[in-house]
Amino acid sequence: MEPVMAIAIGLLYSAAIFLMLRRSIVKLVIGLMLLTNAANLLIFTSAGMTRGAPPLIPEGMLAPEGVVADPLPQAVVLTAIVIAFGVLAFAVVLIRRAYEIVKADDLDKMKDTDT
Amino acid sequence: MQLAVLSGFVVAGFAPLFHRWFGDRASFVLAAYPAALALWFLSQLPAVMAGETLVFAMQWVPSLGMSLTFVIDGLSLLFALLVTGIGSLVLVYAGGYLKGHPDLMRFHLAILAFMVSMLGLVLADSLFTLFVFWELTSITSYLLIGFNHNDLEARKSARQGLFVTVAGGLALMAGLTMLGVAGESWSLRELNAMGDVLREHSLYTALLVCVLIGAFTKSAQFPFHFWLPNAMAAPTPVSAYLHSATMVKAGIYLLARLQPSLGGTEMWTVTLSVVGALTMFTGAFLAIRHTNIKKLLAYSTIMALGTLTMLLGIGTEGAMIAFVTFLLAHALYKGSLFMVAGVLDHETGTKDVTAMGGLRHTMPLTAAVACIAALSLAGVPPLFGFIGKELMFESVLEVSAWRWLIMLLAFSATALTIVVAAIVALRPFFGQRRETPRVAHEAPTSMLIGPAVLAILSLLFGLVPVLAGSGLLAAAASAVAGTSVEVKLSLWHGVNLPLLMSLASLALGYLLFKRWDRIRARLACLDPLLSRGPEAGYDALMDGVVVISEWQTRVLQNGYMRNYIMVMIVTLIALVGNSLLLRHAPQFHIALDVQFHEAVVVGIMVMAALFATIARSRLGAVVSVGIMGFSIALIFILFSAPDLAITQLLVETLTVILLVLVLFRLPRFSSLSTPLERVRDVVVAGSLGTLITLLVLTSWSIDQFVPISDYMIANSATLAHGRNIVNVILVDYRALDTLGEIFVLALAAIGVFAMLKLRAPEKPKNSAPAKENADG
Amino acid sequence: MVKSGTIILNTAARLLMPLQLLFSVFLLLRGHDEPGGGFIAGLVAAGAFTLYLFAFGVSATKEVLRMLDPRDLIGMGLLLGMISVVPAWFVGDPFLTAQWWTIPGIGFKASTPLIFDIGVYLAVLGSVLTMVMTLMEVDKDEP
């Protein structure tokens, strides 16, 4: 499964970067969303992928039976997903305010700081 | 003890309050603090004189081996007494000098903070602590030089002093780190006991160079001497305190402190004695070119600092005695002279010695103090400076390497110093009465106490050298030498070579003084040459920095968002790709083990992402991103991450709501770039994607570390009482990270609130976006 | 732009919100042993309020929240997170070390990780609600 995921993550990154290189601010936002998802997947898969063995300990046991999926990347990604939402909201609102003031969706027209 | 010293920072913080309570008299109240400390240090004198080393152990960051341990031995005590003693005198003096100055409380704050830093520096036992206090003295010195912040010159000088000393501080940090690594200890006491190991260590040369750069910049040694005369832009109490008696001696202190562990090698001896002698001569020579009394004194301070460095370089037992004697003598007379210079400036309104004359009638007390101090500076018996100079000549005669050069430099520097002493003492007070910008009269008592006390001490120690010599100086010299040293100071050594040299230098000095005005005129033709000195180098360097930063701002920070992203991505590809492909030959051994439904989910995810890039409408793009998000949630379910899947689903839902609320108020999609640009972007994005793929594949193939999650899995139920290991990691193992993360989230929310709700009130309502219709 | 919804949405929101909030607390409390936890529970609760927001508008939702401003929730969450740091000091452990107590009688296991998780719950709920409510309010102001 891993090689497939590697290629998929690579494609996600490409799509995200391509969108972020556009001049339209809305495309920048979409690219940002793709990028956070791609990064989350990258971290999630970095410890290898395990099928059907969630990192839970059955009731009454002290350790999981057999091999379970690595919980650490999962914990990291869990917070990353929530934070990505916060950052996305911040970015979107920032862009909205910038657009209200500059009245241009072309990022090239936003290059002066004192408009 | 640590508390007593560090409470000084608290006292400094409360200085403005004292100011409110006591008005201009706050200086005298605050002076009680260093005075009390000075008395306490004096009470430790008997124990230290008996050869004890007082240790006040205290942990700071034990896990990093950092301690706040303070150590009092002879050298520390000598410095601590200078810092606190002169400190209290200077505070009293400043009360008169800066009387009615609107920023007096800022002065108090900075100077007290400086005093505590300096005290910490000379008492510290750990290299870390030493370095922290070292940097603090640089910063407080910066604040004090730039005290007159309305003055362009003062600001420039403050910056120069800061850059030079902090640059040296960086070198020192490297040097101290290497020292700690080489000696496997961060304690100065332990390092001083293993000098033989350190001198043989392979890092010795490198660490010595770094430590020397740090010490030389701080103590204004040639070629870093130029910042000290410029620092005279500070108010005179600061010059008297920081730039002659204490801070500039921090570098000297460090060298003396490290003498037992690093000194004695040929490199140490030659570097220190030659640099010291050069500094000595440069200082004395440049001094007589000036008529500004503070500059004169500043250059003669450079000369004294050079002398001290040279004596440390010579390194014999006699040189150690000379070192501590000269150090004390210099602190006494130079502090006094600076304060006299301040009095003159304050009372006459000029700093130019050629503009003053005949002041002894109006300012008899000041004149007397100035004469005593200047005689000590010139090294005339029976003053303490004479003993210091005799011992210095004795040590110079013991030099083996570069003997004649050092002797010549030392001799001429001494003669030139006599000229300086004569100028400072005779010019303003004797001769013809001259009109000064302000009508001169005697200084207030508060401004006379300081210089008078120091001058009287110079005289007292000269007449009864046993007072200073047998106890404190012996202990200090022993600490520098690393072995027990007997000190027997006396005025009369019999007719010998040092005495003859003293007499000859006196005669030469007198002759030079008589012709001073003419010599100065002659020396003016050297100006073009001197303006190409080290200071020009410093200026060129600073200009260069400005030019480079302007250039890089124009090129890299040109205001185009996509250029920034492009630069980052291309750099990333170049650097990571380089090390990935060239350093590690890629090797993958991963079985391709795909089940049909998984392939379908991944396929949908990728298709959705790619569709988002070519979507012509915002709605299309948002929908495809949504599809991608839900596919990712499915992947999380398939690969054993139930918590992630739930979170992803919830966040996807909220994201849609967010986009509905915001995104459709933004403009529609538009195509702004040319086809060529798009091809370029596809290439860049594609290569990054390829790189990431290779990176992921490689990282799976290499197992570099034992994963820490094994510990977490094994102990989750037993130690943390939780069966959901992901949650246990979040709230227990890595709770600090999670705490930081909820703070980030909170900040994002507050940011959103602030951007939308807290608007500038004068903005009219027309900033609302145009009404948006359904998307195409 | 967002108007109060249809009858179906209104009824659903009225019925679903208490259930969702109850479910979020359930997720929060069982989070240490089963899938769930502060982040997920916070998001579920935020979802509940958002649904209500869409059905009845900002002012009605504010009434439901009574005196509680979502921003206060953020502050309370962060405060709880910080408070959970403290107990370890009294026992002499490095800070943030988990402490466990069993409340006698009901046998409920209280712990600093639980306090911490409640802090996460409130912070997430408060943050998301602040964002959504602010956006909706601004939306209402601007036609």
Side-chain angles (χ1 to χ4, degrees), chain B residues 509-584:
Chain B
Y510 182 72
L511 283 177
L512 288 173
F513 171 64
K514 276 290 163 198
R515 291 180 175 74
W516 178 49
D517 290 315
R518 248 179 294 160
I519 292 173
R520 211 173 63 234
R522 289 268 183 79
L523 286 177
C525 69
L526 282 178
D527 282 354
L529 186 69
L530 290 172
S531 65
R532 284 161 210 267
E535 189 172 5
Y538 166 85
D539 287 338
L541 187 70
M542 286 296 143
D543 292 346
V545 169
V546 172
V547 168
I548 289 175
S549 52
E550 272 177 358
W551 170 82
Q552 76 93 22
T553 309
R554 257 198 325 274
V555 171
L556 291 180
Q557 318 216 328
N558 48 14
Y560 293 108
M561 176 83 155
R562 60 206 153 87
N563 283 8
Y564 297 164
I565 299 177
M566 190 71 107
V567 167
M568 282 191 266
I569 300 294
V570 171
T571 316
L572 186 77
I573 294 173
L575 292 181
V576 179
N578 175 43
S579 57
L580 184 69
L581 296 177
L582 298 183
R583 296 231 204 118
H584 312 275

Side-chain angles (χ1 to χ4, degrees), chain C residues 16-30:
Chain C
L16 276 180
M17 195 185 76
L19 285 177
Q20 273 179 300
L21 286 179
L22 211 63
F23 182 57
S24 80
V25 175
F26 166 71
L27 278 176
L28 169 68
L29 292 182
R30 74 160 203 168

Side-chain angles (χ1 to χ4, degrees), chain B residues 406-466:
Chain B
I406 291 174
M407 258 171 70
L408 189 68
L409 289 173
F411 176 76
S412 42
T414 314
L416 290 166
T417 306
I418 290 161
V419 180
V420 174
I423 296 169
V424 173
L426 301 181
R427 268 304 183 112
F429 297 106
F430 296 88
Q432 285 248 285
R433 184 75 223 264
R434 277 171 208 258
E435 284 306 307
T436 46
R438 230 176 278 165
V439 181
H441 43 77
E442 190 57 271
T445 327
S446 60
M447 291 178 70
L448 277 175
I449 292 177
V453 168
L454 295 177
I456 289 167
L457 281 177
S458 288
L459 188 61
L460 192 66
F461 288 161
L463 290 170
V464 198
V466 181

